Amino acid sequence: MNILLTGATGFLGSYLLRKLLEMDHNVIILKRTTSNTWRIDSLLSQVKSYDIDKVNIEKPFEDNKIDIVIHTATNYGRNTNKIYDVVETNLMFSLKLLETATFFNTDTFFNTDTLLYEYLNHYTLSKKQFVEWLVFFSEKIKIVNLKLEHIYGPKDDENKFVTWLVRQLIKNVDTIDLTEGNQKRDFIYIDDVVNAYILLIEKSKNLNNFSEFDVGTGNQIKIKDFVLKVYETIKQKQPIRTKLNFGAKPYRKNEFMEIKENIKPLLDLGWRPIVSLDEGIDRLVEEEIKCQQKSN
């Protein structure tokens, strides 16, 4: 199939791109001239790429008969991002992409959503507002909305919690200030998330015009317990003296203590999470230790 992929230079998008190419799909990617392509440099010769800051959004659709759009590009609103920039990416650009795909008779639009609730912050609000437009457009184009839990794995952004935590511990910093850590999250390894996308692509012709799937393992763990698992995994591989200062930070405003999720619809289609939490943490830690050794 001809698949248009956004966010291909990002964490999830780069893993999806590699898998789709392994399956011999024709992949067209959207990026910017300023995009850092380090995750996919070895794959760029195998794809057709459009710099969306240079060409109109219609161009890739005019040049290619797009069967499926997989939309993973997002703006988390971290660092210095203004609310306008977050809304511009997560709502306005997404809506323009959706409308263009509909105009060019694309079969299916896959959207990457979050299981976080609407009013947690401006990121989640913008994501949920776009879902309302997805429902509206589902009369004209098939929609598959994937609500992702806490993904982790090698090559994630360094400002993501899991990657940041692992790197701080590997560096053996003196202390790490944390909340009490009683909030529960469902940590899912990147490979399992990619497999969910692939299965839904294969099953898409049999899905309703608007389908939503929660993508998680179904097993939630307290943040504190997760941090301790990471700590013990690293401790088995190298000396560690870092003090974990639980309770030093307050919970963020509107913090939620557990996730409401239902992975049964995905399980009913035949998907299963394969990578256990212990195995996933071990893979991530091993990769981060190797990266640190190379940089030294």
PDB file of all heavy atoms in Angstrom, residues 3 11 15 17 26 40 42 48 51 67 70 82 136 138 148 154 163 167 174 180 189 200 239 241 244 247 249 257:
ATOM      1  N   ILE A   3       1.444   4.482   1.872  1.00  0.00           N
ATOM      2  CA  ILE A   3       1.138   4.983   3.205  1.00  0.00           C
ATOM      3  C   ILE A   3       1.849   6.306   3.433  1.00  0.00           C
ATOM      4  O   ILE A   3       3.071   6.412   3.273  1.00  0.00           O
ATOM      5  CB  ILE A   3       1.555   3.965   4.285  1.00  0.00           C
ATOM      6  CG1 ILE A   3       0.775   2.660   4.107  1.00  0.00           C
ATOM      7  CG2 ILE A   3       1.337   4.543   5.683  1.00  0.00           C
ATOM      8  CD1 ILE A   3       1.168   1.552   5.069  1.00  0.00           C
ATOM      9  N   PHE A  11      10.019   9.518  17.707  1.00  0.00           N
ATOM     10  CA  PHE A  11      10.225   8.213  18.351  1.00  0.00           C
ATOM     11  C   PHE A  11       9.316   7.144  17.762  1.00  0.00           C
ATOM     12  O   PHE A  11       9.779   6.182  17.127  1.00  0.00           O
ATOM     13  CB  PHE A  11       9.997   8.379  19.854  1.00  0.00           C
ATOM     14  CG  PHE A  11      10.073   7.105  20.654  1.00  0.00           C
ATOM     15  CD1 PHE A  11      11.130   6.232  20.516  1.00  0.00           C
ATOM     16  CD2 PHE A  11       9.062   6.794  21.568  1.00  0.00           C
ATOM     17  CE1 PHE A  11      11.201   5.059  21.258  1.00  0.00           C
ATOM     18  CE2 PHE A  11       9.127   5.637  22.321  1.00  0.00           C
ATOM     19  CZ  PHE A  11      10.194   4.756  22.168  1.00  0.00           C
ATOM     20  N   TYR A  15      10.034   4.132  14.399  1.00  0.00           N
ATOM     21  CA  TYR A  15       9.844   2.682  14.539  1.00  0.00           C
ATOM     22  C   TYR A  15       8.789   2.189  13.544  1.00  0.00           C
ATOM     23  O   TYR A  15       8.940   1.117  12.945  1.00  0.00           O
ATOM     24  CB  TYR A  15       9.413   2.336  15.961  1.00  0.00           C
ATOM     25  CG  TYR A  15      10.557   2.198  16.938  1.00  0.00           C
ATOM     26  CD1 TYR A  15      11.112   3.314  17.554  1.00  0.00           C
ATOM     27  CD2 TYR A  15      11.071   0.953  17.274  1.00  0.00           C
ATOM     28  CE1 TYR A  15      12.157   3.200  18.464  1.00  0.00           C
ATOM     29  CE2 TYR A  15      12.118   0.819  18.185  1.00  0.00           C
ATOM     30  CZ  TYR A  15      12.654   1.950  18.775  1.00  0.00           C
ATOM     31  OH  TYR A  15      13.696   1.826  19.677  1.00  0.00           O
ATOM     32  N   LEU A  17       8.058   3.566  10.668  1.00  0.00           N
ATOM     33  CA  LEU A  17       8.645   3.634   9.334  1.00  0.00           C
ATOM     34  C   LEU A  17       9.479   2.400   9.037  1.00  0.00           C
ATOM     35  O   LEU A  17       9.348   1.776   7.970  1.00  0.00           O
ATOM     36  CB  LEU A  17       9.511   4.894   9.210  1.00  0.00           C
ATOM     37  CG  LEU A  17      10.260   5.059   7.891  1.00  0.00           C
ATOM     38  CD1 LEU A  17       9.306   5.079   6.715  1.00  0.00           C
ATOM     39  CD2 LEU A  17      11.129   6.310   7.922  1.00  0.00           C
ATOM     40  N   ASN A  26       4.966   1.057   0.372  1.00  0.00           N
ATOM     41  CA  ASN A  26       5.530   2.295  -0.147  1.00  0.00           C
ATOM     42  C   ASN A  26       5.191   3.405   0.839  1.00  0.00           C
ATOM     43  O   ASN A  26       4.013   3.683   1.073  1.00  0.00           O
ATOM     44  CB  ASN A  26       4.937   2.623  -1.523  1.00  0.00           C
ATOM     45  CG  ASN A  26       5.265   1.566  -2.557  1.00  0.00           C
ATOM     46  OD1 ASN A  26       6.396   1.097  -2.627  1.00  0.00           O
ATOM     47  ND2 ASN A  26       4.273   1.180  -3.344  1.00  0.00           N
ATOM     48  N   ILE A  40      16.258   8.154  11.405  1.00  0.00           N
ATOM     49  CA  ILE A  40      15.864   7.490  10.159  1.00  0.00           C
ATOM     50  C   ILE A  40      16.835   7.771   9.008  1.00  0.00           C
ATOM     51  O   ILE A  40      16.500   7.521   7.841  1.00  0.00           O
ATOM     52  CB  ILE A  40      14.440   7.902   9.735  1.00  0.00           C
ATOM     53  CG1 ILE A  40      14.365   9.424   9.483  1.00  0.00           C
ATOM     54  CG2 ILE A  40      13.420   7.481  10.790  1.00  0.00           C
ATOM     55  CD1 ILE A  40      13.054   9.856   8.826  1.00  0.00           C
ATOM     56  N   SER A  42      19.296   6.204   7.877  1.00  0.00           N
ATOM     57  CA  SER A  42      19.580   5.007   7.074  1.00  0.00           C
ATOM     58  C   SER A  42      18.387   4.567   6.230  1.00  0.00           C
ATOM     59  O   SER A  42      18.525   3.690   5.371  1.00  0.00           O
ATOM     60  CB  SER A  42      20.003   3.850   7.994  1.00  0.00           C
ATOM     61  OG  SER A  42      18.942   3.493   8.873  1.00  0.00           O
ATOM     62  N   LYS A  48       9.861   8.341  -0.118  1.00  0.00           N
ATOM     63  CA  LYS A  48       9.656   9.621  -0.784  1.00  0.00           C
ATOM     64  C   LYS A  48       9.323  10.627   0.310  1.00  0.00           C
ATOM     65  O   LYS A  48       8.436  10.394   1.133  1.00  0.00           O
ATOM     66  CB  LYS A  48       8.516   9.528  -1.795  1.00  0.00           C
ATOM     67  CG  LYS A  48       8.359  10.786  -2.648  1.00  0.00           C
ATOM     68  CD  LYS A  48       7.219  10.642  -3.638  1.00  0.00           C
ATOM     69  CE  LYS A  48       7.570   9.676  -4.753  1.00  0.00           C
ATOM     70  NZ  LYS A  48       6.522   9.689  -5.822  1.00  0.00           N
ATOM     71  N   ASP A  51       9.068  18.099   2.296  1.00  0.00           N
ATOM     72  CA  ASP A  51       9.261  19.101   3.350  1.00  0.00           C
ATOM     73  C   ASP A  51       8.026  19.994   3.379  1.00  0.00           C
ATOM     74  O   ASP A  51       7.807  20.807   2.483  1.00  0.00           O
ATOM     75  CB  ASP A  51      10.514  19.925   3.086  1.00  0.00           C
ATOM     76  CG  ASP A  51      11.778  19.120   3.313  1.00  0.00           C
ATOM     77  OD1 ASP A  51      11.765  18.238   4.189  1.00  0.00           O
ATOM     78  OD2 ASP A  51      12.779  19.363   2.608  1.00  0.00           O
ATOM     79  N   ASP A  67      -3.241   5.446   0.128  1.00  0.00           N
ATOM     80  CA  ASP A  67      -4.252   4.525   0.647  1.00  0.00           C
ATOM     81  C   ASP A  67      -4.558   4.789   2.117  1.00  0.00           C
ATOM     82  O   ASP A  67      -5.715   4.749   2.544  1.00  0.00           O
ATOM     83  CB  ASP A  67      -3.776   3.073   0.488  1.00  0.00           C
ATOM     84  CG  ASP A  67      -3.524   2.693  -0.958  1.00  0.00           C
ATOM     85  OD1 ASP A  67      -4.449   2.857  -1.775  1.00  0.00           O
ATOM     86  OD2 ASP A  67      -2.399   2.244  -1.270  1.00  0.00           O
ATOM     87  N   ILE A  70      -1.054   7.693   8.290  1.00  0.00           N
ATOM     88  CA  ILE A  70      -0.752   7.400   9.695  1.00  0.00           C
ATOM     89  C   ILE A  70      -0.172   8.675  10.295  1.00  0.00           C
ATOM     90  O   ILE A  70       0.938   9.090   9.950  1.00  0.00           O
ATOM     91  CB  ILE A  70       0.228   6.228   9.860  1.00  0.00           C
ATOM     92  CG1 ILE A  70      -0.310   4.963   9.194  1.00  0.00           C
ATOM     93  CG2 ILE A  70       0.500   5.974  11.343  1.00  0.00           C
ATOM     94  CD1 ILE A  70       0.626   3.775   9.292  1.00  0.00           C
ATOM     95  N   LYS A  82       4.651  27.698  22.850  1.00  0.00           N
ATOM     96  CA  LYS A  82       3.475  28.453  23.225  1.00  0.00           C
ATOM     97  C   LYS A  82       2.221  27.627  22.937  1.00  0.00           C
ATOM     98  O   LYS A  82       2.234  26.729  22.101  1.00  0.00           O
ATOM     99  CB  LYS A  82       3.441  29.770  22.452  1.00  0.00           C
ATOM    100  CG  LYS A  82       4.606  30.702  22.758  1.00  0.00           C
ATOM    101  CD  LYS A  82       4.527  31.967  21.925  1.00  0.00           C
ATOM    102  CE  LYS A  82       5.704  32.890  22.227  1.00  0.00           C
ATOM    103  NZ  LYS A  82       5.680  34.098  21.378  1.00  0.00           N
ATOM    104  N   PHE A 136     -16.514  13.794  13.205  1.00  0.00           N
ATOM    105  CA  PHE A 136     -17.257  14.528  12.181  1.00  0.00           C
ATOM    106  C   PHE A 136     -16.912  14.040  10.771  1.00  0.00           C
ATOM    107  O   PHE A 136     -17.793  13.840   9.933  1.00  0.00           O
ATOM    108  CB  PHE A 136     -16.949  16.024  12.318  1.00  0.00           C
ATOM    109  CG  PHE A 136     -17.634  16.900  11.303  1.00  0.00           C
ATOM    110  CD1 PHE A 136     -18.956  17.289  11.479  1.00  0.00           C
ATOM    111  CD2 PHE A 136     -16.961  17.327  10.176  1.00  0.00           C
ATOM    112  CE1 PHE A 136     -19.596  18.090  10.536  1.00  0.00           C
ATOM    113  CE2 PHE A 136     -17.587  18.131   9.231  1.00  0.00           C
ATOM    114  CZ  PHE A 136     -18.907  18.508   9.412  1.00  0.00           C
ATOM    115  N   SER A 138     -15.720  11.150   9.925  1.00  0.00           N
ATOM    116  CA  SER A 138     -15.830   9.702   9.738  1.00  0.00           C
ATOM    117  C   SER A 138     -16.972   9.293   8.807  1.00  0.00           C
ATOM    118  O   SER A 138     -17.059   8.132   8.394  1.00  0.00           O
ATOM    119  CB  SER A 138     -15.989   9.000  11.092  1.00  0.00           C
ATOM    120  OG  SER A 138     -17.204   9.376  11.730  1.00  0.00           O
ATOM    121  N   LEU A 148      -2.923   6.038  23.083  1.00  0.00           N
ATOM    122  CA  LEU A 148      -1.732   5.374  23.571  1.00  0.00           C
ATOM    123  C   LEU A 148      -1.465   5.650  25.040  1.00  0.00           C
ATOM    124  O   LEU A 148      -1.639   6.771  25.515  1.00  0.00           O
ATOM    125  CB  LEU A 148      -0.506   5.817  22.757  1.00  0.00           C
ATOM    126  CG  LEU A 148      -0.604   5.693  21.237  1.00  0.00           C
ATOM    127  CD1 LEU A 148       0.744   6.055  20.603  1.00  0.00           C
ATOM    128  CD2 LEU A 148      -1.042   4.310  20.798  1.00  0.00           C
ATOM    129  N   PRO A 154      14.221   2.457  23.482  1.00  0.00           N
ATOM    130  CA  PRO A 154      15.420   3.150  23.019  1.00  0.00           C
ATOM    131  C   PRO A 154      15.103   4.213  21.975  1.00  0.00           C
ATOM    132  O   PRO A 154      14.162   4.076  21.202  1.00  0.00           O
ATOM    133  CB  PRO A 154      16.261   2.027  22.402  1.00  0.00           C
ATOM    134  CG  PRO A 154      15.764   0.773  23.037  1.00  0.00           C
ATOM    135  CD  PRO A 154      14.307   0.991  23.267  1.00  0.00           C
ATOM    136  N   THR A 163      13.177   8.050  29.673  1.00  0.00           N
ATOM    137  CA  THR A 163      14.532   8.228  29.145  1.00  0.00           C
ATOM    138  C   THR A 163      15.367   9.110  30.067  1.00  0.00           C
ATOM    139  O   THR A 163      16.532   8.807  30.363  1.00  0.00           O
ATOM    140  CB  THR A 163      14.485   8.851  27.739  1.00  0.00           C
ATOM    141  OG1 THR A 163      13.680   8.030  26.896  1.00  0.00           O
ATOM    142  CG2 THR A 163      15.874   8.974  27.140  1.00  0.00           C
ATOM    143  N   ARG A 167      18.775   7.886  32.107  1.00  0.00           N
ATOM    144  CA  ARG A 167      20.049   8.569  31.877  1.00  0.00           C
ATOM    145  C   ARG A 167      20.596   9.199  33.153  1.00  0.00           C
ATOM    146  O   ARG A 167      21.813   9.187  33.389  1.00  0.00           O
ATOM    147  CB  ARG A 167      19.885   9.615  30.780  1.00  0.00           C
ATOM    148  CG  ARG A 167      19.668   8.987  29.412  1.00  0.00           C
ATOM    149  CD  ARG A 167      19.543  10.006  28.298  1.00  0.00           C
ATOM    150  NE  ARG A 167      19.346   9.327  27.028  1.00  0.00           N
ATOM    151  CZ  ARG A 167      19.199   9.951  25.863  1.00  0.00           C
ATOM    152  NH1 ARG A 167      19.213  11.278  25.810  1.00  0.00           N
ATOM    153  NH2 ARG A 167      19.030   9.254  24.756  1.00  0.00           N
ATOM    154  N   ASP A 174      23.697  12.604  42.071  1.00  0.00           N
ATOM    155  CA  ASP A 174      23.590  12.489  43.534  1.00  0.00           C
ATOM    156  C   ASP A 174      22.163  12.170  43.979  1.00  0.00           C
ATOM    157  O   ASP A 174      21.940  11.234  44.762  1.00  0.00           O
ATOM    158  CB  ASP A 174      24.067  13.788  44.194  1.00  0.00           C
ATOM    159  CG  ASP A 174      25.567  13.979  44.049  1.00  0.00           C
ATOM    160  OD1 ASP A 174      26.280  12.967  43.903  1.00  0.00           O
ATOM    161  OD2 ASP A 174      26.016  15.135  44.051  1.00  0.00           O
ATOM    162  N   GLU A 180       5.601  11.689  45.226  1.00  0.00           N
ATOM    163  CA  GLU A 180       5.422  10.474  46.024  1.00  0.00           C
ATOM    164  C   GLU A 180       5.360   9.234  45.137  1.00  0.00           C
ATOM    165  O   GLU A 180       5.704   8.130  45.557  1.00  0.00           O
ATOM    166  CB  GLU A 180       4.138  10.573  46.855  1.00  0.00           C
ATOM    167  CG  GLU A 180       4.199  11.580  47.990  1.00  0.00           C
ATOM    168  CD  GLU A 180       5.027  11.099  49.168  1.00  0.00           C
ATOM    169  OE1 GLU A 180       5.455   9.923  49.161  1.00  0.00           O
ATOM    170  OE2 GLU A 180       5.262  11.910  50.089  1.00  0.00           O
ATOM    171  N   TYR A 189       5.972  -1.085  25.849  1.00  0.00           N
ATOM    172  CA  TYR A 189       7.196  -1.023  25.055  1.00  0.00           C
ATOM    173  C   TYR A 189       6.870  -0.676  23.615  1.00  0.00           C
ATOM    174  O   TYR A 189       5.855  -1.091  23.060  1.00  0.00           O
ATOM    175  CB  TYR A 189       7.937  -2.362  25.134  1.00  0.00           C
ATOM    176  CG  TYR A 189       9.358  -2.300  24.648  1.00  0.00           C
ATOM    177  CD1 TYR A 189      10.346  -1.659  25.399  1.00  0.00           C
ATOM    178  CD2 TYR A 189       9.722  -2.866  23.437  1.00  0.00           C
ATOM    179  CE1 TYR A 189      11.660  -1.602  24.960  1.00  0.00           C
ATOM    180  CE2 TYR A 189      11.038  -2.807  22.987  1.00  0.00           C
ATOM    181  CZ  TYR A 189      11.999  -2.178  23.755  1.00  0.00           C
ATOM    182  OH  TYR A 189      13.295  -2.108  23.308  1.00  0.00           O
ATOM    183  N   LEU A 200      -3.909  -3.265  13.086  1.00  0.00           N
ATOM    184  CA  LEU A 200      -5.079  -2.465  12.725  1.00  0.00           C
ATOM    185  C   LEU A 200      -5.058  -2.068  11.251  1.00  0.00           C
ATOM    186  O   LEU A 200      -6.118  -1.941  10.627  1.00  0.00           O
ATOM    187  CB  LEU A 200      -5.156  -1.230  13.621  1.00  0.00           C
ATOM    188  CG  LEU A 200      -5.521  -1.536  15.082  1.00  0.00           C
ATOM    189  CD1 LEU A 200      -5.339  -0.308  15.961  1.00  0.00           C
ATOM    190  CD2 LEU A 200      -6.954  -2.055  15.185  1.00  0.00           C
ATOM    191  N   PRO A 239      27.722   0.060  39.329  1.00  0.00           N
ATOM    192  CA  PRO A 239      27.534   0.656  40.654  1.00  0.00           C
ATOM    193  C   PRO A 239      26.630   1.878  40.566  1.00  0.00           C
ATOM    194  O   PRO A 239      26.666   2.617  39.581  1.00  0.00           O
ATOM    195  CB  PRO A 239      28.961   1.056  41.056  1.00  0.00           C
ATOM    196  CG  PRO A 239      29.859   0.218  40.209  1.00  0.00           C
ATOM    197  CD  PRO A 239      29.136   0.023  38.911  1.00  0.00           C
ATOM    198  N   ARG A 241      24.779   5.035  43.180  1.00  0.00           N
ATOM    199  CA  ARG A 241      24.672   5.629  44.523  1.00  0.00           C
ATOM    200  C   ARG A 241      23.591   6.711  44.580  1.00  0.00           C
ATOM    201  O   ARG A 241      23.426   7.387  45.583  1.00  0.00           O
ATOM    202  CB  ARG A 241      26.017   6.247  44.932  1.00  0.00           C
ATOM    203  CG  ARG A 241      26.547   7.256  43.922  1.00  0.00           C
ATOM    204  CD  ARG A 241      27.775   7.999  44.412  1.00  0.00           C
ATOM    205  NE  ARG A 241      28.374   8.805  43.365  1.00  0.00           N
ATOM    206  CZ  ARG A 241      27.873   9.944  42.902  1.00  0.00           C
ATOM    207  NH1 ARG A 241      26.736  10.414  43.419  1.00  0.00           N
ATOM    208  NH2 ARG A 241      28.476  10.614  41.940  1.00  0.00           N
ATOM    209  N   LEU A 244      17.043   8.389  45.584  1.00  0.00           N
ATOM    210  CA  LEU A 244      15.723   8.685  45.031  1.00  0.00           C
ATOM    211  C   LEU A 244      14.913   9.416  46.091  1.00  0.00           C
ATOM    212  O   LEU A 244      14.540   8.836  47.115  1.00  0.00           O
ATOM    213  CB  LEU A 244      15.025   7.383  44.619  1.00  0.00           C
ATOM    214  CG  LEU A 244      15.752   6.566  43.545  1.00  0.00           C
ATOM    215  CD1 LEU A 244      15.056   5.219  43.327  1.00  0.00           C
ATOM    216  CD2 LEU A 244      15.817   7.344  42.229  1.00  0.00           C
ATOM    217  N   GLY A 247       8.717  12.291  47.049  1.00  0.00           N
ATOM    218  CA  GLY A 247       7.971  13.269  47.827  1.00  0.00           C
ATOM    219  C   GLY A 247       8.568  14.660  47.795  1.00  0.00           C
ATOM    220  O   GLY A 247       7.989  15.596  48.361  1.00  0.00           O
ATOM    221  N   LYS A 249       8.847  16.538  45.212  1.00  0.00           N
ATOM    222  CA  LYS A 249       8.085  17.364  44.276  1.00  0.00           C
ATOM    223  C   LYS A 249       6.589  17.148  44.492  1.00  0.00           C
ATOM    224  O   LYS A 249       6.163  16.016  44.767  1.00  0.00           O
ATOM    225  CB  LYS A 249       8.432  17.012  42.830  1.00  0.00           C
ATOM    226  CG  LYS A 249       9.798  17.486  42.377  1.00  0.00           C
ATOM    227  CD  LYS A 249       9.977  17.227  40.895  1.00  0.00           C
ATOM    228  CE  LYS A 249      11.264  17.829  40.371  1.00  0.00           C
ATOM    229  NZ  LYS A 249      11.406  17.625  38.908  1.00  0.00           N
ATOM    230  N   MET A 257      -4.587   9.812  39.223  1.00  0.00           N
ATOM    231  CA  MET A 257      -3.853   8.784  39.945  1.00  0.00           C
ATOM    232  C   MET A 257      -3.892   7.418  39.266  1.00  0.00           C
ATOM    233  O   MET A 257      -3.138   6.528  39.644  1.00  0.00           O
ATOM    234  CB  MET A 257      -4.381   8.677  41.374  1.00  0.00           C
ATOM    235  CG  MET A 257      -4.264   9.988  42.161  1.00  0.00           C
ATOM    236  SD  MET A 257      -2.601  10.730  42.110  1.00  0.00           S
ATOM    237  CE  MET A 257      -1.680   9.562  43.096  1.00  0.00           C
TER     238      MET A 257
END
